Amino acid sequence: MSTAASSAAPPHWHLVGAGHIGTLAAAYVRAAGHGVTVVRPHTAGPIKTTLAFADGRPLQRLTLPTVTPTSIEQPISHLLVACKTPYTRAALAPLPLAATVTAVRLQNGIGSLDGLLPSGARLIDAVTTSAVKGTRAHHDVVAENTTWFGDDGAAPDWFDGLRAHWPNLEWSASIRRRQWQKLVANAAINPLTALHDVPNGALIEDAALHARMRDLVAEADSVLGALDDSWPGDSLAAVAAIARATAGNTSSMRADVQRDAPTEIEAINGWLLRAAAPLGLALPAHRAVFEALRAR
Ligand code: KPL
């Protein structure tokens, strides 16, 4: 679903977080004729990288201009946020955001932009199941799965044009449901694989880990069901299917722990714990992994 096409000029995006998904998003918006500039904390030259696609289409070379927050002259009208959630506050604080900025949040977890955008901003949440691997200089786009953009409104006028260049991009009027589904998977798979330093498939193969995954999923379902009685619950089969489909993968949180970087635990399990508190729900399994990861 989208609004009628408009003759408005294509937007110019400022991208925060040129990691795997941020770079893929930059390649798609560039292909759609949008502008894109990467915001970096320190002066640096353009980012030069290549993207290889699993369907065999030609290697794409991408050169992205960069800018520091203090050298941005015009207020930012379109912002793509693809950094890891723990860096969001510091990355956005120095940015000159327009009062009506449109921000697309391509991050795990929920709520990392709360309180960081002007009151007139439009926040579009994005949920993707695409997968990219590689280095800063080269990205292997392993899977171009569905990506949903959405908020409470109709799609913006630039959406149809972008969709033509972003494989499997959809506008979702029920983005919250999509976010919650991804949240439950991330809240179960990520902390367990990080704490036990195992690939995702271990949560299927190891009975003890499987039982802990089941508890995390059941607690997450209890919170989401209490927040919204139309939440279907019973997410275990869906989460197990993700763990199975990504059996050999290192979850993003395990990768963060392996390189001693901050994890996204606050935006994932932390969000569930904060949502559960006013509902009077104790989430012992989430509390345990949250504390264990914070204690690292
Ligand atoms: O999204 C993921 C992540 O690692 O952050 C999953 C689905 C768990 C795949 O590894």
Side-chain angles (χ1 to χ4, degrees):
M1 182 188 78
S2 79
T3 53
S6 138
S7 55
H12 189 106
W13 296 93
H14 282 80
L15 167 65
V16 173
H20 294 323
I21 293 293
T23 302
L24 183 62
Y28 293 148
V29 300
R30 174 70 78 69
H34 300 192
V36 57
T37 300
V38 179
V39 184
R40 305 189 84 179
H42 306 293
T43 311
I47 294 175
K48 294 186 180 191
T49 192
T50 49
L51 292 102
F53 294 89
D55 67 2
R57 63 190 191 265
L59 190 79
Q60 188 177 339
R61 288 180 203 289
L62 191 64
T63 302
L64 298 169
T66 66
V67 72
T68 58
T70 49
S71 57
I72 299 172
E73 285 167 5
Q74 300 290 324
I76 292 174
S77 61
H78 291 79
L79 182 69
L80 267 173
V81 184
C83 60
K84 290 281 189 146
T85 53
Y87 304 108
T88 314
R89 181 172 292 276
L92 263 69
L95 297 186
L97 301 179
T100 56
V101 62
T102 294
V104 173
R105 197 185 83 92
L106 259 167
Q107 295 179 304
N108 275 336
I110 297 185
S112 57
L113 292 183
D114 289 357
L116 302 184
L117 298 175
S119 57
R122 178 171 190 183
L123 171 58
I124 295 175
D125 270 301
V127 175
T128 189
T129 54
S130 289
V132 186
K133 287 185 183 170
T135 63
R136 198 177 277 269
H138 177 77
H139 296 81
D140 280 312
V141 184
V142 183
E144 292 175 288
N145 298 327
T146 307
T147 299
W148 294 275
F149 278 19
D151 65 3
D152 292 337
D157 53 15
W158 44 261
F159 186 77
D160 271 350
L162 180 56
R163 212 173 139 209
H165 295 273
W166 184 316
N168 306 314
L169 179 64
E170 290 179 17
W171 185 258
S172 171
S174 53
I175 192 72
R176 196 178 70 163
R177 179 61 61 94
R178 307 274 179 206
Q179 272 189 305
W180 285 11
Q181 286 164 342
K182 182 133 199 276
L183 183 81
V184 179
N186 286 139
I189 297 173
N190 294 20
L192 290 178
T193 53
L195 287 168
H196 296 274
D197 196 20
V198 289
N200 297 353
L203 306 184
I204 302 297
E205 287 149 21
D206 182 297
L209 287 178
H210 190 76
R212 293 189 64 195
M213 174 171 86
R214 194 191 54 217
D215 292 346
L216 286 164
V217 171
E219 287 183 8
D221 273 335
S222 73
V223 180
L224 300 176
L227 289 173
D228 177 351
D229 57 19
S230 72
W231 175 250
D234 286 331
S235 303
L236 183 60
V239 175
I242 294 172
R244 220 174 271 117
T246 59
N249 290 11
T250 287
S251 76
S252 53
M253 199 174 283
R254 180 186 182 209
D256 290 336
V257 168
Q258 285 177 341
R259 60 191 175 91
D260 210 15
T263 71
E264 300 193 295
I265 195 80
E266 286 283 349
I268 299 175
N269 304 76
W271 185 88
L272 283 165
L273 288 165
R274 287 190 294 280
L279 298 166
L281 292 171
L283 306 182
H286 288 273
R287 175 65 59 197
V289 293
F290 182 79
E291 299 299 349
L293 276 150
R294 279 221 311 198
R296 277 172 52 239

